[in-house]
Amino acid sequence: MSIIQQKLKHTVWECKYHIVWIPKYRKKRLYKELRQYLGEIFKDLARQKESQIIEGHLMKDHVHMLISVPPKYSVSQVIGYIKGKSAISMFQKFRDMRKKRYWGNHFWSRGYCVSTVGLDEKIIRKYVKYQEEQ
C-alpha cells in the first residue's frame, strides 16, 4: 500500500486513474515526431490542472495514462482539458494534419475509458509502461 503524499489546504488525498483514449476514427497517427510532442504536451497540460502523469504510453492508435488528479477536479474536467488543448496544439504545430480528414479540428474521439487505481498501482504502472511488449 502506498503512502498518501498529496496535500491541499484542508485535504490529504491519493486519487489515481488509469485512462485510455483513441484518436477519432481510430486512425493510426500517434508516431514519430507527433508521439514525442504529445508526451510533453500532456505533461504540461496535466500540470496546469494540478495533476501529474505518473506513467504514460502512446501507441499508434491509442493513449494509456496513469494520472494523479486532485479531488477538487473531476476526471472528466482534466481529461477533457488535456484532449481539447492537445488537439488545438497539434493542429497549430502540424498544419498538414488539417488536410487529413480531421474536420473541425477534432483529433480525439469523444469518449475515454477510466478506472480507479487502488492497491494495484504497481501492476497498473507496469502494464502501462510495458504494454507495447505484450
Side-chain angles (χ1 to χ4, degrees), residues 12-104:
V12 177
W13 60 277
E14 182 177 69
C15 302
K16 295 178 183 166
Y17 304 92
H18 177 208
I19 311 285
V20 181
W21 74 84
I22 62 172
K24 197 160 186 101
Y25 313 116
R26 194 105 192 209
K27 291 194 177 280
K28 295 177 180 5
R29 295 282 301 177
L30 304 177
Y31 54 88
K32 297 181 186 173
E33 187 179 353
L34 182 60
R35 192 174 185 173
Q36 293 172 349
Y37 179 75
L38 280 175
E40 291 305 314
I41 290 295
F42 288 162
K43 288 176 186 173
D44 183 49
L45 292 171
R47 277 192 296 270
Q48 290 177 29
K49 288 292 184 183
E50 301 171 59
S51 301
Q52 178 188 10
I53 297 174
I54 300 164
E55 290 288 344
H57 196 81
L58 284 103
M59 301 294 285
K60 288 183 180 181
D61 65 347
H62 64 281
V63 175
H64 272 272
M65 185 181 293
L66 177 61
I67 187 169
S68 176
V69 177
K72 71 183 197 176
Y73 295 110
S74 70
V75 176
S76 63
Q77 283 177 308
V78 174
I79 300 306
Y81 182 79
I82 290 172
K83 287 171 63 178
K85 295 294 184 184
S86 67
I88 291 167
S89 180
M90 282 187 298
F91 284 118
Q92 288 174 346
K93 181 164 176 72
F94 302 99
R95 299 217 181 256
D96 65 318
M97 288 177 61
R98 292 179 187 223
K99 302 171 192 168
K100 306 273 184 187
R101 297 182 61 203
Y102 291 103
W103 299 283

Side-chain angles (χ1 to χ4, degrees), residues 104-120:
N105 288 352
H106 299 288
F107 183 82
W108 303 114
S109 184
R110 286 182 67 187
Y112 59 92
C113 173
V114 59
S115 72
T116 56
V117 176
L119 300 177
D120 298 330

